Amino acid sequence: MRVIVVHGGAGAADAEREARRRAGCLEAARRGWAILRQGGDAVEAVVEAVTALEDDPEFNAGLGAVLTRDGQIQLDAAVMRGWDRAAGAVAWVARTRNPVRLARLLLDRETVLMVGPPADALAAEAGLPQVDPTALITPRQRERLATFLASRRVEEGGTVGAVARDGSGGVAAATSTGGRLGQRYGRVGDTPVIGASTYADQRGAASATGTGEAFIRAVAAFRAVSALDHTSPDDAATAALAAVTEVGGRGGLIVVNARGEFGVAFTTGQMVHAWVREGEEGTGA
């Protein structure tokens, strides 16, 4: 069964923005579904969906990403293909408009992870759109950073992601983030760490969002996919989050198995998400 599931990040419930975020997730899922419906593979579907979220200022990825404590943009992304476990990830990029497309570029190269200006340079060399980093900063995020600096209150930044199963049985996952609001410049969280926030193999695929350091320590995405050997996607996601809780974190996961069944779980107030499959689409928070 073909299916795509998208999440827009876990965090506190936000009734004011929920409708816009649901709509953004559903539009992203529809864009990925259009690829699956036309016979495209799961990798291209999740990359297209996450690209849509990176272009939507409602989400913490690409345009509208949160800022570091010194007002900088710092973007991370990862993509993983299930059938051969090929993976690509980037961290600390600032000029590449859609970091998920740069991560996709690495799937068929020897290098799995690239960081900083050399990663942006590779994207430019490959013809991926480049921008001045300030073009990705929105007034809302400038205001949020000012509030953070005044109060020093740590807020969850959120992360976006997608998982899919295509008509040939292939699965894939993609994740993208601007990190945590007010983080120290140079900090890297779980998104580009394969197995922490993004993982796929023949059993299924997972994309996570939440307390980055805890998801790294719990190897949460890998743990969720591994659990698919003996349980449902819903239970696999829940079990992975229990491991995250044990090391002091919280967040959410979306998981799809090799049959196209999917699960969603989160331990925060909200994790806006959407899905599309044959004859059905929906959203949740």
Side-chain angles (χ1 to χ4, degrees), residues 192-218:
V193 179
I194 300 302
S197 186
T198 310
Y199 187 76
D201 63 25
Q202 296 91 332
R203 296 169 293 188
S207 174
T209 170
T211 313
E213 286 72 13
F215 276 79
I216 293 171
R217 291 194 290 270

Short mmCIF file of all heavy atoms in Angstrom, two decimals, residues 192-218:
data_model
loop_
_atom_site.label_atom_id
_atom_site.label_comp_id
_atom_site.label_asym_id
_atom_site.label_seq_id
_atom_site.Cartn_x
_atom_site.Cartn_y
_atom_site.Cartn_z
N PRO A 192 20.50 15.27 11.78
CA PRO A 192 21.42 14.69 10.81
C PRO A 192 22.14 13.43 11.31
O PRO A 192 23.01 12.90 10.61
CB PRO A 192 22.42 15.81 10.56
CG PRO A 192 22.50 16.50 11.87
CD PRO A 192 21.12 16.42 12.46
N VAL A 193 21.79 12.98 12.51
CA VAL A 193 22.43 11.78 13.07
C VAL A 193 21.59 10.57 12.66
O VAL A 193 20.49 10.36 13.18
CB VAL A 193 22.55 11.87 14.60
CG1 VAL A 193 23.19 10.60 15.17
CG2 VAL A 193 23.36 13.09 15.00
N ILE A 194 22.10 9.79 11.72
CA ILE A 194 21.35 8.65 11.21
C ILE A 194 21.10 7.66 12.35
O ILE A 194 22.01 7.27 13.08
CB ILE A 194 22.11 7.97 10.06
CG1 ILE A 194 22.33 8.96 8.91
CG2 ILE A 194 21.36 6.73 9.57
CD1 ILE A 194 21.07 9.57 8.34
N GLY A 195 19.84 7.27 12.49
CA GLY A 195 19.44 6.36 13.56
C GLY A 195 18.81 7.08 14.74
O GLY A 195 18.08 6.48 15.52
N ALA A 196 19.10 8.38 14.89
CA ALA A 196 18.55 9.14 16.00
C ALA A 196 17.19 9.73 15.63
O ALA A 196 16.17 9.44 16.26
CB ALA A 196 19.51 10.24 16.41
N SER A 197 17.18 10.56 14.57
CA SER A 197 15.94 11.20 14.15
C SER A 197 15.44 10.68 12.80
O SER A 197 14.28 10.89 12.46
CB SER A 197 16.15 12.71 14.06
OG SER A 197 14.96 13.39 13.79
N THR A 198 16.31 10.02 12.06
CA THR A 198 15.97 9.54 10.72
C THR A 198 16.55 8.15 10.52
O THR A 198 17.75 7.94 10.76
CB THR A 198 16.59 10.47 9.65
OG1 THR A 198 16.25 11.83 9.94
CG2 THR A 198 16.08 10.11 8.26
N TYR A 199 15.68 7.19 10.10
CA TYR A 199 16.20 5.86 9.82
C TYR A 199 15.22 5.11 8.92
O TYR A 199 14.00 5.28 9.01
CB TYR A 199 16.41 5.05 11.10
CG TYR A 199 17.10 3.73 10.81
CD1 TYR A 199 18.46 3.69 10.55
CD2 TYR A 199 16.38 2.54 10.75
CE1 TYR A 199 19.10 2.50 10.22
CE2 TYR A 199 17.00 1.35 10.43
CZ TYR A 199 18.37 1.33 10.16
OH TYR A 199 18.98 0.16 9.83
N ALA A 200 15.78 4.27 8.04
CA ALA A 200 14.96 3.41 7.18
C ALA A 200 15.75 2.17 6.80
O ALA A 200 16.96 2.25 6.56
CB ALA A 200 14.53 4.16 5.91
N ASP A 201 15.10 1.02 6.78
CA ASP A 201 15.65 -0.19 6.21
C ASP A 201 14.50 -1.00 5.62
O ASP A 201 13.40 -0.46 5.44
CB ASP A 201 16.50 -0.98 7.22
CG ASP A 201 15.74 -1.49 8.43
OD1 ASP A 201 14.49 -1.68 8.34
OD2 ASP A 201 16.37 -1.73 9.48
N GLN A 202 14.71 -2.28 5.34
CA GLN A 202 13.66 -3.05 4.67
C GLN A 202 12.41 -3.22 5.53
O GLN A 202 11.33 -3.51 5.01
CB GLN A 202 14.21 -4.44 4.28
CG GLN A 202 15.33 -4.41 3.27
CD GLN A 202 16.71 -4.36 3.94
OE1 GLN A 202 16.86 -3.85 5.05
NE2 GLN A 202 17.70 -4.87 3.25
N ARG A 203 12.53 -3.01 6.83
CA ARG A 203 11.39 -3.18 7.73
C ARG A 203 10.46 -1.98 7.75
O ARG A 203 9.26 -2.12 8.01
CB ARG A 203 11.88 -3.47 9.14
CG ARG A 203 12.64 -4.76 9.27
CD ARG A 203 13.34 -4.89 10.60
NE ARG A 203 14.43 -3.91 10.76
CZ ARG A 203 15.29 -3.90 11.77
NH1 ARG A 203 15.18 -4.82 12.71
NH2 ARG A 203 16.25 -2.99 11.84
N GLY A 204 11.01 -0.78 7.51
CA GLY A 204 10.20 0.42 7.58
C GLY A 204 11.05 1.67 7.70
O GLY A 204 12.26 1.63 7.49
N ALA A 205 10.40 2.77 8.07
CA ALA A 205 11.09 4.06 8.15
C ALA A 205 10.51 4.88 9.28
O ALA A 205 9.32 4.75 9.62
CB ALA A 205 10.97 4.81 6.83
N ALA A 206 11.34 5.75 9.86
CA ALA A 206 10.90 6.61 10.96
C ALA A 206 11.53 7.99 10.84
O ALA A 206 12.67 8.13 10.41
CB ALA A 206 11.26 5.99 12.31
N SER A 207 10.77 9.01 11.25
CA SER A 207 11.27 10.38 11.36
C SER A 207 10.81 10.93 12.71
O SER A 207 9.65 10.76 13.08
CB SER A 207 10.75 11.25 10.23
OG SER A 207 11.12 12.62 10.42
N ALA A 208 11.73 11.58 13.42
CA ALA A 208 11.44 12.01 14.79
C ALA A 208 11.61 13.50 14.97
O ALA A 208 12.22 14.19 14.15
CB ALA A 208 12.36 11.26 15.76
N THR A 209 11.11 13.99 16.08
CA THR A 209 11.20 15.39 16.46
C THR A 209 11.16 15.48 17.98
O THR A 209 10.46 14.71 18.63
CB THR A 209 10.04 16.21 15.87
OG1 THR A 209 10.04 17.53 16.45
CG2 THR A 209 8.69 15.58 16.12
N GLY A 210 11.92 16.41 18.53
CA GLY A 210 11.88 16.57 19.98
C GLY A 210 13.22 16.98 20.56
O GLY A 210 14.01 17.67 19.92
N THR A 211 13.49 16.53 21.78
CA THR A 211 14.72 16.87 22.49
C THR A 211 15.89 16.15 21.83
O THR A 211 16.11 14.96 22.05
CB THR A 211 14.62 16.46 23.97
OG1 THR A 211 13.37 16.88 24.50
CG2 THR A 211 15.76 17.07 24.78
N GLY A 212 16.66 16.87 21.02
CA GLY A 212 17.64 16.24 20.16
C GLY A 212 18.63 15.35 20.85
O GLY A 212 18.89 14.22 20.43
N GLU A 213 19.23 15.83 21.95
CA GLU A 213 20.25 15.06 22.63
C GLU A 213 19.68 13.74 23.17
O GLU A 213 20.36 12.70 23.15
CB GLU A 213 20.86 15.88 23.75
CG GLU A 213 21.81 16.98 23.28
CD GLU A 213 21.13 18.16 22.61
OE1 GLU A 213 19.89 18.29 22.71
OE2 GLU A 213 21.83 18.97 21.97
N ALA A 214 18.44 13.76 23.63
CA ALA A 214 17.82 12.53 24.14
C ALA A 214 17.54 11.54 23.01
O ALA A 214 17.71 10.33 23.17
CB ALA A 214 16.52 12.87 24.89
N PHE A 215 17.13 12.05 21.85
CA PHE A 215 16.87 11.16 20.72
C PHE A 215 18.17 10.52 20.22
O PHE A 215 18.17 9.38 19.76
CB PHE A 215 16.17 11.91 19.59
CG PHE A 215 14.68 11.98 19.77
CD1 PHE A 215 14.12 12.90 20.65
CD2 PHE A 215 13.84 11.13 19.09
CE1 PHE A 215 12.75 12.97 20.84
CE2 PHE A 215 12.47 11.19 19.26
CZ PHE A 215 11.92 12.11 20.15
N ILE A 216 19.29 11.26 20.34
CA ILE A 216 20.58 10.68 19.98
C ILE A 216 20.94 9.56 20.96
O ILE A 216 21.32 8.45 20.56
CB ILE A 216 21.68 11.75 19.98
CG1 ILE A 216 21.45 12.76 18.84
CG2 ILE A 216 23.07 11.10 19.84
CD1 ILE A 216 22.37 13.96 18.90
N ARG A 217 20.81 9.83 22.25
CA ARG A 217 21.19 8.83 23.25
C ARG A 217 20.30 7.59 23.18
O ARG A 217 20.77 6.47 23.45
CB ARG A 217 21.13 9.45 24.66
CG ARG A 217 22.21 10.48 24.90
CD ARG A 217 22.34 10.80 26.38
NE ARG A 217 21.21 11.54 26.89
CZ ARG A 217 21.11 12.88 26.92
NH1 ARG A 217 22.10 13.60 26.43
NH2 ARG A 217 20.06 13.47 27.42
N ALA A 218 19.04 7.78 22.81
CA ALA A 218 18.12 6.64 22.72
C ALA A 218 18.17 5.94 21.36
O ALA A 218 17.55 4.89 21.19
CB ALA A 218 16.69 7.11 22.99
#
